[in-house]
Amino acid sequence: CVLQPTECFLSQPEEKQEGTVKAKKRKKKKISDVLQKSAPKPGVPADLQNLLTQYFGENRSVIEIEELQLSDSCFLPANDLTHSFSSYLKEICPKWAKLRRIHKEKKSVVMLVLCSSALRSLELIKSMTAFKGDCRVIKLFAKHIKIKEQINMLEKGVFHIGVGTPGRIKALVEQDALCLNSTKYMILDWNWRDQKLRRMMDIPEVLYKHLSMLYTVYSLFLLVALRSWSVKFSFC
């Protein structure tokens, strides 16, 4: 009679502990589960600026963070998710034929498209056929392409559109291999989701490189915006 209560007393906490562990495991959700339930919506300027403040706020002064806040006039209307990539570009760049005709500068592009991976870059290049016409497009990602090769191409030829990943584009800008003074459009591949339903901003390693790249661009923008640079940001 003495042993029975003791056995019951020992078994009850073990059952509760096991149940607690299982409950904790049930509560853990993957990002794909969360994103699957969220309705797709176009990116807006506030999304990008909030991310910049969130990721760089601790390492920058209040004044530096305030300087990163661009007015809505610096952004073009976002893709409302009804356009194809080409039709969207035609809508926001109605004078593209003239821009590509007058562009003669090496080491520069008129339009820069930032996306999450090399594979996605290739998909976007194929999908802009109806828009780009006979203009030259350069691939700006690391997979199977050495940075020296891209530097040589930029130095020797004239390209109108650059499509690539934030990490490689940032490296080219920092090495003065890619000049942004002639860039009129910076397109962010914001709305596209991969097989895990993640957007570019949902992938930590891509997000940080993307924001670092944009911080560099924002800083440059603020230095020359009052002079001759008139780049417009856009969410596709």
Side-chain angles (χ1 to χ4, degrees), residues 147-156 172 175 177:
I147 192 168
K148 289 183 179 179
E149 181 181 344
Q150 291 165 335
I151 291 174
N152 289 335
M153 292 174 68
L154 288 165
E155 286 179 346
K156 296 177 180 179
L172 290 166
Q175 294 184 38

Side-chain angles (χ1 to χ4, degrees), residues 38-86:
S38 62
K41 59 180 180 179
V44 294
D47 293 334
L48 178 60
Q49 299 201 16
N50 288 339
L51 279 174
L52 282 166
T53 302
Q54 177 185 346
Y55 275 79
F56 297 109
E58 296 181 358
N59 302 321
R60 302 292 188 276
S61 67
V62 175
I63 295 177
E64 287 176 321
I65 292 299
E66 287 180 352
E67 287 177 344
L68 287 179
Q69 300 300 312
L70 300 178
S71 66
D72 288 346
S73 63
C74 297
F75 294 85
L76 293 167
N79 188 344
D80 61 3
L81 307 182
T82 63
H83 284 281
S84 67
F85 190 43
S86 280

Side-chain angles (χ1 to χ4, degrees), residues 85 88-89 92 111-114 185-189 234 236:
F85 190 43
Y88 174 64
L89 293 179
I92 64 172
M111 177 181 292
L112 191 60
V113 183
L114 283 79
Y185 298 94
M186 186 162 294
I187 312 297
L188 313 181
D189 187 30
S234 179
C236 71

